[in-house]
Amino acid sequence: MIKKTLLYLSFPLIALMSCNSGGTDSKNNRSGSVADDAVNTGFKNYSDQFVTALWVQEPEWATQMGYHKFDAQLTIPDEATKQRTLAFVSAQLDSLKAFDPALLTPSHQTDYRMIENYLKFRQWGLQSLKEGEWNPATYNVTGLIAFMLSENYAPLKNRVTDCYKRILQIPAYYEAAKQQLKNPVEELKQLGIDQNEGGLYVLDKDFIDSLAHTDLSAQEKDSMRIAAQRAAAAVKAYVAHLRSWKGYTPRDFRLGKALYDDKFKYEIQSSLTAEQTYTAALARKQYLHGEMAGISRQLWKKYFGDAAQPADTLALIGKMIDTLSASHVKPDGFQAAIEKQLPELIRFIREKNLLYIDSTKPLVVRKEPAYMAGVAGASISAPGPYDKGGNTYYNVGSLAGWPAAKAESYLREYNHYILQILNIHEAIPGHYTQLVYANRSPSIIKSILGNGAMVEGWAVYTEQMMLENGYGNNEPEMWLMWYKWHLRTVCNTILDYSVHAGQMSKDEALRLLTKEAFQQQAEAEGKWKRVSVTSVQLTSYYSGYQAIYDLRETLKKRMGKKFDLRAFHEQFLSYGSAPVKYISELMLQQ
Ligand code: ZN
Ligand code: ZN
């Protein structure tokens, strides 16, 4: 995954992605007419203006993207803010109408569509989804304060002072939040309680500790300490309010088909509908089970000799996966194993000529910072679009202090095979490589409004692409384990749609994940929790993957012997983090 810190209501799910992009700025647009220079200059001016206006409107998001002019402001989630946002959206949609997309360069056309989609998504969110009325977890400011205290973008004293100004507004923020909530979803109420309570340490401890490391006067420090105490009291009052809220009819945690279909349309921006994507995922699951059964039968003798094979196919696959999972590193060797693999991946890609790897900006492997929730695993933190020189980090969770059984279960999951696939996905040539490419072009729109399905889809696609090109020596073990890993993204889509657009029960979900996707009970329970507090995001991995794979196969068929895999990858990545459907249009028209 890419680390995202969602702070306030529903802006599209992208935050810490670096990026910038634009694609090849050729003059020929999709309608074949020649792009008009004056129109394009006008559009560029418009989009610059849009971004500036956006940050005035969304100061918290601006902070995370590395734009620090409004770091002292906190948006109070009241009716006035809602009306101001709606006015902003209609004004911007009006301005967009002045441009004929057919006269824009491909890069500007894509920017146009991404801005338009963002604005309509925002409008729909406030007018139809109305998450602020039923999701108590959307109200949380401690993550923002933690981010400002730990990311080193300015001297600590400045950051602390900005935090203080935001902290002063926290009581008003939670008062407004209480007013907005009407019929909280039970599961989201609990999440709101857990996350707000879990973030209290930021005000109680982190902020107070940071004060001590500045040369602010004793008087200033006193005022700041008092403000932090008041803010913490406001968070506690909000939590108490949620806890004591009874005697109402909670909203169902399921989104319902109508809202789900719309959210999918805006968030995924696929050329398929949600239902078509779900149907494709079901077929993919069948296909994967067939492949996995074949490999398991082939491997049986090697691992089990003459012992009888389970008659049930899923049981056979499960036993094989279980056996292979025993091959894993020791708890304290996790980070070192990751560090050792990265140069090997680069060497493989160069040897096979799969795509150009820029090695001037190395990836820094680090232990996951404490404020990133402490969920062990791995993720990429890229600098914001205003901080192109910043480091890109590969955050690796530490297993230190874990009970032995928990660590063992985790290491079995990230075993010898899966750990390599994880590195391909997160780092090279997955997320990290994609970000390096995206950073090259000048369009900031594709960076701040980047499409999550394209980003995740690319990472998933590269796993398969590496194996297809012989990574792991074509060992059947590697393929089997990849299929298992890939089945997870496929089942994420099936699960999400079945739960939110249908009526899938928890028992049915756990059966799908443990029996048909070979997940451990704990992992499956965790996934159920995730699907009951999020919607649509879980479909981004498979949806983006399938769109990229289909594009490649279409081009292969069309170009025959002239198809060049490296050229395909480099061109695909040159458009930045745009929705795959727009990239496909541009690549297919050539
Ligand atoms: Zn990912
Ligand atoms: Zn073990």
Side-chain angles (χ1 to χ4, degrees):
M1 71 195 288
I2 291 257
K3 273 284 170 194
K4 294 154 191 155
T5 324
L6 264 190
L7 294 168
Y8 175 60
L9 295 182
S10 51
F11 47 76
L13 290 163
I14 293 291
L16 298 182
M17 295 180 28
S18 141
C19 306
N20 282 3
S21 60
T24 43
D25 235 325
S26 75
K27 286 286 172 82
N28 290 325
N29 57 36
R30 77 188 75 186
S31 59
S33 56
V34 174
D36 182 291
D37 282 343
V39 175
N40 279 287
T41 309
F43 181 78
K44 179 73 176 67
N45 292 338
Y46 163 74
S47 67
D48 289 348
Q49 170 279 126
F50 164 78
V51 173
T52 310
L54 182 65
W55 297 147
V56 174
Q57 195 60 38
E58 309 279 354
E60 297 82 7
W61 185 9
T63 299
Q64 291 182 82
M65 298 309 273
Y67 189 88
H68 297 293
K69 200 168 157 189
F70 305 117
D71 276 5
Q73 290 173 26
L74 189 68
T75 308
I76 306 301
D78 58 9
E79 192 56 28
T81 295
K82 183 178 161 185
Q83 293 310 325
R84 206 169 55 239
T85 307
L86 285 171
F88 164 80
V89 166
S90 3
Q92 295 294 332
L93 281 171
D94 258 7
S95 308
L96 261 188
K97 281 193 198 123
F99 301 96
D100 176 359
L103 297 177
L104 299 174
T105 61
S107 172
H108 283 157
Q109 272 184 22
T110 312
D111 283 358
Y112 178 102
R113 292 180 200 286
M114 291 173 80
I115 294 172
E116 186 183 39
N117 182 75
Y118 165 74
L119 293 168
K120 289 185 171 166
F121 191 9
R122 196 78 172 95
Q123 200 170 42
W124 174 83
L126 290 169
Q127 292 176 336
S128 302
L129 187 65
K130 298 182 183 166
E131 196 169 352
E133 294 181 5
W134 48 264
N135 185 357
T138 56
Y139 304 108
N140 187 344
V141 285
T142 52
L144 176 66
I145 304 296
F147 176 85
M148 292 169 75
L149 291 175
S150 56
E151 295 296 318
N152 212 4
Y153 56 83
L156 182 65
K157 186 176 171 180
N158 303 25
R159 289 182 282 126
V160 161
T161 306
D162 282 336
C163 281
Y164 166 61
K165 290 176 184 159
R166 275 185 162 154
I167 285 171
L168 281 173
Q169 302 165 77
I170 286 180
Y173 173 94
Y174 281 104
E175 262 327 297
K178 285 187 213 166
Q179 300 296 319
Q180 290 299 314
L181 288 171
K182 296 203 165 58
N183 55 338
V185 169
E186 202 57 53
E187 289 79 359
L188 293 168
K189 197 170 83 175
Q190 193 54 49
L191 186 69
I193 291 170
D194 292 346
Q195 291 187 339
N196 275 286
E197 217 162 41
L200 269 171
Y201 74 94
V202 176
L203 295 165
D204 286 342
K205 190 171 179 305
D206 283 8
F207 180 71
I208 305 297
D209 287 353
S210 300
L211 282 181
H213 295 98
T214 67
D215 59 0
L216 290 155
S217 71
Q219 202 183 356
E220 286 169 314
K221 285 179 184 172
D222 276 347
S223 311
M224 292 186 179
R225 211 171 284 123
I226 290 166
Q229 282 160 5
R230 285 196 184 125
V235 175
K236 283 176 196 154
Y238 179 66
V239 167
H241 174 74
L242 293 179
R243 271 213 178 98
S244 66
W245 197 342
K246 293 191 178 99
Y248 72 105
T249 312
R251 183 191 170 101
D252 189 352
F253 77 96
R254 299 174 201 275
L255 210 50
K257 184 162 166 34
L259 285 176
Y260 186 92
D261 286 349
D262 281 345
K263 191 177 180 196
F264 180 89
K265 183 180 77 184
Y266 290 121
E267 190 169 313
I268 304 294
Q269 299 179 72
S270 166
S271 55
L272 302 184
T273 63
E275 190 170 352
Q276 288 167 333
T277 304
Y278 164 73
T279 308
L282 286 178
R284 180 82 180 151
K285 172 167 69 91
Q286 283 312 110
Y287 167 81
L288 293 172
H289 281 166
E291 294 294 300
M292 294 169 87
I295 297 176
S296 299
R297 283 191 203 102
Q298 179 197 338
L299 283 176
W300 185 265
K301 212 175 165 50
K302 179 170 167 190
Y303 289 89
F304 296 101
D306 292 328
Q309 288 185 21
D312 178 69
T313 309
L314 293 177
L316 167 74
I317 300 169
K319 201 161 166 55
M320 206 62 232
I321 286 172
D322 199 47
T323 302
L324 297 180
S325 300
S327 165
H328 61 74
V329 297
K330 294 200 168 66
D332 56 2
F334 196 62
Q335 182 167 333
I338 286 177
E339 278 170 345
K340 190 167 152 274
Q341 272 171 27
L342 299 181
E344 286 165 19
L345 290 170
I346 294 176
R347 197 179 320 123
F348 180 83
I349 289 165
R350 292 209 171 119
E351 210 177 274
K352 301 280 177 175
N353 201 28
L354 299 176
L355 77 164
Y356 171 72
I357 296 282
D358 181 354
S359 46
T360 54
K361 289 231 71 198
L363 180 61
V364 184
V365 182
R366 72 173 175 185
K367 191 170 154 265
E368 185 172 70
Y371 80 95
M372 288 185 175
V375 185
S379 66
I380 294 288
S381 289
Y386 297 97
D387 180 23
K388 285 193 180 190
N391 282 329
T392 301
Y393 294 103
Y394 192 171
N395 310 305
V396 179
S398 164
L399 278 65
W402 282 32
K406 191 178 167 195
E408 170 66 13
S409 156
Y410 182 81
L411 290 167
R412 285 181 63 90
E413 196 180 331
Y414 291 96
N415 54 61
H416 169 72
Y417 306 97
I418 300 291
L419 192 57
Q420 298 177 65
I421 293 162
L422 180 75
N423 284 325
I424 292 171
H425 178 106
E426 296 294 339
I428 297 162
H431 289 318
Y432 168 66
T433 302
Q434 192 260 325
L435 287 166
V436 172
Y437 271 85
N439 248 331
R440 290 213 192 116
S441 5
S443 154
I444 204 162
I445 298 297
K446 292 184 190 71
S447 162
I448 60 183
L449 303 179
N451 179 259
M454 182 276 178
V455 171
E456 287 303 343
W458 170 260
V460 174
Y461 162 76
T462 60
E463 301 161 7
Q464 176 174 347
M465 185 274 290
M466 291 287 277
L467 262 62
E468 285 170 341
N469 284 282
Y471 183 80
N473 301 318
N474 258 316
E475 276 180 21
E477 286 91 342
M478 191 66 170
W479 275 100
L480 179 64
M481 293 308 264
W482 177 68
Y483 283 138
K484 188 245 179 189
W485 173 260
H486 184 63
L487 198 50
R488 178 153 99 174
T489 75
V490 172
C491 286
N492 281 346
T493 295
I494 297 171
L495 176 73
D496 198 58
Y497 187 83
S498 306
V499 166
H500 287 289
Q503 289 293 329
M504 182 182 260
S505 68
K506 182 175 179 183
D507 279 350
E508 288 165 339
L510 294 181
R511 202 178 315 131
L512 169 74
L513 299 175
T514 57
K515 298 281 177 281
E516 294 198 62
F518 314 103
Q519 295 179 7
Q520 298 297 310
Q521 189 71 15
E523 190 192 351
E525 298 263 0
K527 192 54 65 70
W528 173 258
K529 195 174 173 202
R530 182 165 159 196
V531 79
S532 61
V533 296
T534 68
S535 53
V536 176
Q537 200 272 335
L538 278 172
T539 66
S540 63
Y541 308 83
Y542 171 69
S543 163
Y545 154 79
Q546 194 64 55
I548 296 170
Y549 182 80
D550 289 349
L551 171 64
R552 187 187 78 178
E553 295 308 297
T554 304
L555 283 168
K556 244 186 190 170
K557 214 178 267 169
R558 186 195 280 182
M559 297 169 77
K561 281 199 179 104
K562 279 199 223 148
F563 179 83
D564 180 281
L565 188 62
R566 173 174 172 151
F568 167 76
H569 291 148
E570 291 174 358
Q571 191 186 351
F572 180 83
L573 292 178
S574 75
Y575 297 100
S577 309
V580 182
K581 95 172 145 177
Y582 300 141
I583 299 177
S584 298
E585 278 178 37
L586 293 170
M587 288 182 77
L588 289 171
Q589 82 183 3
Q590 287 171 354

